[in-house]
Amino acid sequence: MPKNQQETHKIQAWSLINRKYLGQGVRVKRFRRPTRSQIRNRVLLAVLMAKDMKLSRLAEELSVSSRSVSAWVYEGRIPSRTNLDKVCRHLGYPPHVLFNEALVRQSPIVCQPTPSRFMKRTLAHSPQRNAILTGLCMVYDFSVTDVSIWIGVHPGTFRKWLHHCHLPTPALQEKAENFFRIPRHILFADCEHH
């Protein structure tokens, strides 16, 4: 084997070794990226993502198993009365918002007209008072601008809904409800609290 081929072979071998051992754990995502059909409780996941709270941390803070919390989000299980009270008190939402049985059962899929991507700067530069709406954009990896265009509102208006908890007119609430396929009283629950 010529010397040049040996060098190339060595480089490839080291590259594989480095990738195998050194690369592990480098690109760990904060939340696993499930397919949309795997998320049964999108509202709960949206709140957790908006609050930057991992499922394991919520489990730890509530003294329940990680498997239980995963089942609430990905399988749509409704917690026992005791755990339901704990999680609702901890996250600051009533049970009909976080664990809406009809919504969890349906688990509707949002129709995405074009590719989109959620921008992290949306969280970095502005308050996010509507955690549910912000979190849903994160769950679906939708940019705020794209969602506003798809719904048919000005991006600045949509940002007011997210960052300042402006409650839109009933007609605009209906547009958001039809797009996300989540009842408006849940989508804008944060606006009711403020």
Side-chain angles (χ1 to χ4, degrees), residues 55-176:
L55 272 60
S56 57
R57 189 174 122 213
L58 178 66
E60 191 178 301
E61 290 176 4
L62 296 177
S63 301
V64 298
S65 72
S66 291
R67 174 73 190 98
S68 293
V69 176
S70 289
W72 301 344
V73 172
Y74 298 110
E75 296 168 28
R77 295 236 179 102
I78 307 296
S80 67
R81 186 82 235 160
T82 307
N83 286 338
L84 183 68
D85 291 342
K86 283 200 296 192
V87 72
C88 289
R89 203 171 35 254
H90 188 73
L91 295 175
Y93 292 93
H96 72 272
V97 170
L98 282 183
F99 294 95
N100 185 293
E101 289 191 51
L103 192 59
V104 167
R105 244 189 342 271
Q106 287 173 331
S107 187
I109 302 294
V110 172
C111 179
Q112 180 178 351
T114 54
S116 186
R117 186 177 185 119
F118 184 79
M119 300 297 178
K120 294 264 193 291
R121 67 173 180 263
T122 303
L123 296 178
H125 298 306
S126 303
Q128 35 140 22
R129 297 218 170 89
N130 190 333
I132 293 172
L133 205 51
T134 303
L136 284 169
C137 290
M138 295 171 78
V139 166
Y140 285 106
D141 202 15
F142 288 162
S143 93
V144 169
T145 304
D146 288 339
V147 174
S148 61
I149 291 166
W150 298 334
I151 293 176
V153 299
H154 188 275
T157 302
F158 190 70
R159 283 187 179 87
K160 285 180 186 173
W161 300 356
L162 297 180
H163 305 311
H164 305 291
C165 252
H166 280 225
L167 188 61
T169 63
L172 292 179
Q173 287 181 46
E174 186 180 358
K175 285 183 171 196

